[in-house]
Amino acid sequence: MVSFREAARRVVAEGIERTMSHQRVSQLSREDPEFPPVAEVGRSKVVDWRLAAPYFRKRRKRQGKRSDLERGE
């Protein structure tokens, strides 16, 4: 089991993503139903890295949509 902060560090260290923050890991855990089960240890949330690593490797990456380029008509 690893904390969200450690999961983010491992995602970058293993070359899965160029950057990853613990806030993004937390957001994915809340919003993506495919995210592995999360447990709480004290005030921290943790995830089993053996399940999280394959999740991050197969996760479809979506670029953000730039709303500042849209024309308001």
Side-chain angles (χ1 to χ4, degrees):
M1 300 295 266
V2 297
S3 67
F4 285 0
R5 189 173 302 274
E6 176 63 13
R9 189 196 69 76
R10 288 184 185 197
V11 165
V12 174
E14 293 186 16
I16 299 169
E17 294 277 350
R18 279 189 22 238
T19 62
M20 178 67 63
S21 68
H22 68 280
Q23 293 96 335
R24 179 65 175 141
V25 175
S26 180
Q27 180 184 27
L28 289 169
S29 76
R30 289 189 313 269
E31 297 176 358
D32 189 348
E34 300 290 318
F35 197 85
V38 174
E40 289 191 29
V41 175
R43 293 179 12 182
S44 297
K45 292 185 178 178
V46 296
V47 65
D48 186 340
W49 183 247
R50 295 171 298 184
L51 301 174
Y55 163 80
F56 283 109
R57 285 189 185 97
K58 74 174 181 122
R59 189 174 74 83
R60 193 175 132 233
K61 297 155 189 77
R62 296 179 297 162
Q63 296 295 323
K65 183 177 178 183
R66 291 196 50 188
S67 60
D68 61 324
L69 299 178
E70 294 178 359
R71 294 187 179 229
E73 296 178 284

